[in-house]
Amino acid sequence: MLPELAEPGEARCVSIIVPCRNECAYIDALCDAALAQRLPEGWQLELLVADGQSDDGTRARLDARAAQEPRLRVLDNPQRIVSTGLNACLAQARGAVIVRMDVHTRFAPDYVAQCLAALARSGADNVGGPWVARGQGAWGRAIAAAFQCRWVVGGARSRDRAYEGEVDTVYLGCWPRAVFARVGGFDETLVRNQDDEHNLRLRRQGGRIWQSARIHSWYVPRDALGALFRQQFQYGYWRPFVLRKHGQPGSVRQIVPMMFVAALAVSTVVLPFFYAPLAGLLLAYAAYLGGASLAAARGAVQDTAAPRGARWGLLWRLPAVIAAYHLGYGLGSWRGMIDILWQRQTGPAMQDLTR
């Protein structure tokens, strides 16, 4: 029993909120995982899915399930992006606690129960588990290995499965409903990074964010190099918009790829006069790629149940994957900064969600 999470007389209900668009191949698995959550005694759940005008059959699948399952409600998200979908769910949610889920993430049966326990234990305003990636296919496994490696992501605590404590941001999230009344919903001007921005806003208002190693989920990343680059370009693009709003990034590591791309550009400009800066930068980055790839491959060897040879076979893919992370994010950040400075309208490519 966790009565302290609900106000006196308020129903002990958890609202699971999910934005989606064109997820026909994955939406059933998400609904199954959400509706099968084992909750503490006295708690119940509702599942709200905001559909962004899907045209691949997702909405038909959701409507068919909702007709048979009273705990599932399907909402419209005509703006199609994540932030508006989350806010549409928040507006209709009845729960004392809000839990966000993602269509491309798999969840332990006690995911919600552990979120509730972490809220009660920590007294934090937002809790979540570590961000753990499990890829599919050779490229997907390489992308997941890089995603999990601290030498690629700058030591982000969100990737540390053993960490329990306060963090700057957390994967997905679980909040007492009162947090949104105090801080507000998600910024609908942001196509990406709306979760990081909300967590930054929460912290600036004195809120606490907590990561618990007992909350388990597994994110399925992209499975192609081009798709990864486009995703990271979008993430990078929307980072300067958060910086403009708050005057600071969510964390210092988020501007490192931008600085690397700037150094690369400056070194290229001076190439006709001096070869040393560019050559030195490229040699240093090549050495870094080699070391980071070995570290990521070693982590994959220790982490998965796949044959050892297959896991070390990821090694030749990892330099390209790591470069796609950094160059995609860094180039996207500069594109976003230029659009802000020149007051240019954001193009469709930066507004469409990519998978």
Side-chain angles (χ1 to χ4, degrees):
M1 296 288 288
L2 299 168
E4 63 272 22
L5 298 180
E7 296 295 330
E10 187 178 22
R12 296 192 184 101
C13 175
V14 175
S15 295
I16 298 174
I17 61 173
V18 183
C20 79
R21 171 171 164 76
N22 289 342
E23 300 287 6
C24 190
Y26 305 97
I27 196 63
D28 281 316
L30 180 280
C31 290
D32 290 343
L35 295 170
Q37 288 293 304
R38 301 194 298 261
L39 300 186
E41 183 181 354
W43 284 81
Q44 56 185 335
L45 70 80
E46 63 174 359
L47 171 61
L48 297 93
V49 180
D51 177 64
Q53 296 185 332
S54 295
D55 55 17
D56 70 339
T58 299
R59 184 56 180 262
R61 290 293 311 140
L62 286 168
D63 287 341
R65 292 192 67 133
Q68 303 296 321
E69 173 56 73
R71 294 177 297 169
L72 170 62
R73 286 191 284 158
V74 185
L75 309 176
D76 293 321
N77 178 22
Q79 294 89 350
R80 301 185 177 187
I81 63 174
V82 172
S83 52
T84 58
L86 291 171
N87 285 343
C89 291
L90 288 174
Q92 298 295 321
R94 297 188 289 250
V97 175
I98 308 294
V99 175
R100 180 181 170 185
M101 285 190 169
D102 173 69
V103 176
H104 291 275
T105 301
R106 298 168 183 170
F107 298 91
D110 65 346
Y111 179 85
V112 172
Q114 291 294 345
C115 286
L116 292 173
L119 278 179
R121 184 171 66 249
S122 67
D125 300 280
N126 184 13
V127 303
W131 198 351
V132 179
R134 288 186 178 175
Q136 298 176 343
W139 280 108
R141 290 194 295 273
I143 289 169
F147 181 92
Q148 218 64 55
C149 179
R150 66 188 303 267
W151 297 107
V152 177
V153 298
R157 282 177 170 170
S158 63
R159 317 296 168 89
D160 184 349
R161 297 169 217 211
Y163 180 75
E164 177 99 20
E166 289 199 37
V167 288
D168 293 336
T169 188
V170 74
Y171 183 51
L172 297 178
C174 169
W175 309 259
R177 185 186 184 87
V179 169
F180 294 100
R182 187 174 83 248
V183 179
F186 295 90
D187 188 336
E188 296 187 358
T189 68
L190 298 176
V191 173
R192 298 284 193 184
N193 298 321
Q194 68 285 326
D195 48 352
D196 284 347
E197 187 280 329
H198 193 268
N199 282 321
L200 177 57
R201 196 179 344 138
L202 177 61
R203 288 190 289 110
R204 285 170 67 95
Q205 295 188 27
R208 296 171 59 241
I209 303 168
W210 189 270
Q211 180 170 304
S212 172
R214 307 177 202 181
I215 300 171
H216 299 297
S217 66
W218 302 272
Y219 166 67
V220 182
R222 272 68 173 168
D223 58 2
L225 199 60
L228 173 67
F229 182 88
R230 290 190 296 273
Q231 178 201 36
Q232 294 304 309
F233 193 96
Q234 271 197 345
Y235 279 136
Y237 178 87
W238 289 100
R239 181 58 56 189
F241 291 84
V242 177
L243 179 62
R244 179 181 64 174
K245 180 176 180 178
H246 293 287
Q248 68 178 84
S251 65
V252 174
R253 68 176 177 274
Q254 294 167 347
I255 63 173
V256 172
M258 193 176 184
M259 296 168 61
F260 170 67
V261 168
L264 193 61
V266 171
S267 299
T268 302
V269 168
V270 303
L271 178 61
F273 309 99
F274 304 100
Y275 289 93
L278 181 60
L281 181 61
L282 292 177
L283 285 173
Y285 191 61
Y288 159 78
L289 286 177
S293 297
L294 284 170
R298 185 180 300 112
V301 166
Q302 296 170 348
D303 183 53
T304 70
R308 188 181 184 87
R311 284 174 272 156
W312 278 110
L314 303 176
L315 187 59
W316 71 268
R317 291 181 170 86
L318 281 165
V321 167
I322 296 169
Y325 270 110
H326 295 156
L327 292 174
Y329 199 98
L331 288 168
S333 297
W334 279 113
R335 170 66 183 276
M337 184 68 73
I338 290 170
D339 282 358
I340 290 174
L341 293 175
W342 290 0
Q343 298 183 342
R344 296 195 307 200
Q345 185 175 0
T346 300
M350 294 300 102
Q351 297 183 43
D352 291 338
L353 296 185
T354 57
R355 181 66 199 179

